Amino acid sequence: MILFFEYALASGFEDKNILKEGKMMFDTLLKQFLEIDKVISLLYKDFVDNYIDFKNLEIVKIKKENEIENKLKSLLKSENIDYALVVAPEDEDILYNLTKIIESYPVKNLGCSSEAIKIAGNKYLTYLAIKDAVKTPKTFPPKKYVVKKIDSCGGKFNLFDENFLIQEFIDGENLSVSLIVGKKIHPLSLNRQYIDKRGFVGGEVNINHKLKDKIFNEAIKAVKCINGLNGYVGVDVIVNNDGIYIIEINPRITTTIYGLKTNPSLAELLIKNANNEELKFKVKGEKFTIDK
């Protein structure tokens, strides 16, 4: 049995854009997991009807967000679960805490370890971990900063606290790398990211690029700097005339999987990776957009 859930769909997240991306990721992997084994999932009460007719899917209904951790512990304790994967944001240690719970039980975690999430989920700790191995934007320690116009008057300023950091702006091509990380690191695809003032609005998966091999190498070098990264890992990259910059490492499933087509499926690759089996695969990609 596979325990698999996505946090926005489990918690009833109010942000429609986050819900939309969460559903895209959940639906993509759910279909693949159901072709392998029975799946048990946590779903917020308002979304249960959308999945009630899925064969081999057992649903645990969530009525309030604060029930998720206890429901997860109860499932891991009472059900015969072989593999577990949670898709969740790094914000407020949500992904970290849910992963810690999974690690407390004798199941195979298909995602990254809590140790890796603690670092990769923090942009400053990521900077410290990778800055000597790859090019990455200069990043200042998180503390209180005053930002004001260079010729402002009247005492106008913006104050940012320790929940923010200041990072050098790098202009260039917005790309990402999809990887499967285990005993070996397997690049799956190089992807183009569509980003505007609304944020991430889509992508083109498995693109060709004259620097593709070099970009893969830089992404792999960065990932090797953080112990415990495992399963699917996304690396955000910017490429310009100055070189290849590693921007972020995402220790989780990313929306890019919506356009990622692998044979065997990504779900099969995650399970093979957890069992330390040799990975052989073919990759195709599609363009996709997110209506925001």
Side-chain angles (χ1 to χ4, degrees), residues 12 27 53 60 64 77 97 120 124-125 131 135 153 158 182 208 215 218-219 231 238 243 245-247 257 261 290:
D27 288 355
D53 295 327
V60 176
K64 295 180 181 180
K77 184 177 181 179
N97 289 331
Y124 187 64
L125 294 181
K131 67 182 179 68
K135 279 190 173 183
C153 60
N158 292 309
N208 290 315
I215 295 169
E218 292 303 299
I238 290 180
Y245 289 82
I246 304 300
I247 306 301
I257 69 162
K261 313 299 177 185
I290 304 168

Side-chain angles (χ1 to χ4, degrees), residues 152-170:
S152 64
C153 60
K156 295 179 180 179
F157 64 89
N158 292 309
L159 179 64
F160 295 90
D161 64 19
E162 291 84 356
N163 291 312
F164 297 84
L165 53 77
I166 294 175
Q167 188 174 71
E168 174 189 14
F169 174 74
I170 305 294

Side-chain angles (χ1 to χ4, degrees), residues 18-259:
I18 296 295
L19 268 175
K20 188 173 293 184
E21 290 191 49
K23 190 174 189 305
M24 290 168 70
M25 291 184 282
F26 180 73
D27 288 355
T28 299
L29 273 177
L30 177 62
K31 181 180 178 181
Q32 295 177 16
F33 279 133
L34 286 172
E35 292 176 351
I36 299 170
D37 201 353
K38 183 178 178 180
V39 175
I40 189 165
S41 188
L42 307 178
L43 280 170
Y44 188 66
K45 59 183 178 61
D46 291 353
F47 308 132
V48 168
D49 288 347
N50 296 329
Y51 298 92
I52 200 72
D53 295 327
F54 280 52
K55 286 186 177 181
N56 292 323
L57 174 62
E58 182 178 337
I59 297 171
V60 176
K61 186 187 294 187
I62 301 295
K63 296 180 180 179
K64 295 180 181 180
E65 182 178 359
N66 60 11
E67 294 178 351
I68 291 176
E69 290 195 4
N70 285 336
K71 292 281 188 181
L72 176 59
K73 291 175 184 177
S74 178
L75 285 176
L76 289 165
K77 184 177 181 179
S78 62
E79 299 289 341
N80 186 23
I81 294 170
D82 302 296
Y83 304 98
L85 178 65
V86 56
V87 181
E90 298 93 332
D91 308 55
E92 299 177 359
D93 283 339
I94 293 172
L95 180 59
Y96 172 80
N97 289 331
L98 294 173
T99 301
K100 286 285 285 184
I101 292 172
I102 290 171
E103 291 172 338
S104 300
Y105 293 84
V107 301
K108 290 186 178 180
N109 176 24
L110 299 179
C112 292
S113 72
S114 58
E115 174 190 9
I117 292 166
K118 198 70 174 178
I119 297 173
N122 181 301
K123 292 174 175 56
Y124 187 64
L125 294 181
T126 299
Y127 168 73
L128 294 179
I130 71 174
K131 67 182 179 68
D132 295 326
V134 295
K135 279 190 173 183
T136 192
K138 185 175 181 180
T139 304
F140 296 88
K143 63 180 182 179
K144 282 190 177 181
Y145 288 100
V146 171
V147 178
K148 48 188 163 182
K149 194 167 177 282
I150 197 168
D151 58 354
S152 64
C153 60
K156 295 179 180 179
F157 64 89
N158 292 309
L159 179 64
F160 295 90
D161 64 19
E162 291 84 356
N163 291 312
F164 297 84
L165 53 77
I166 294 175
Q167 188 174 71
E168 174 189 14
F169 174 74
I170 305 294
D171 196 13
E173 293 181 86
N174 292 301
L175 306 174
S176 72
V177 175
S178 298
L179 305 164
I180 293 286
V181 182
K183 285 190 173 181
K184 295 182 179 179
I185 300 176
H186 300 271
L188 292 175
S189 65
L190 176 65
N191 320 300
R192 192 174 307 282
Q193 295 187 318
Y194 303 150
I195 297 173
D196 62 20
K197 62 182 179 181
R198 297 167 295 174
F200 178 71
V201 294
E204 183 179 354
V205 179
N206 198 34
I207 66 169
N208 290 315
H209 195 288
K210 64 182 180 180
L211 297 176
K212 187 173 185 176
D213 289 341
K214 290 184 178 179
I215 295 169
F216 280 161
N217 287 338
E218 292 303 299
I220 290 170
K221 281 197 290 186
V223 164
K224 285 181 175 179
C225 293
I226 300 177
N227 293 328
L229 290 172
N230 178 68
Y232 180 95
V233 175
V235 180
D236 292 337
V237 179
I238 290 180
V239 176
N240 62 22
N241 291 334
D242 294 327
I244 299 164
Y245 289 82
I246 304 300
I247 306 301
E248 292 184 8
I249 297 175
N250 298 301
R252 53 176 170 76
I253 299 294
T254 67
T255 314
T256 297
I257 69 162
Y258 186 71

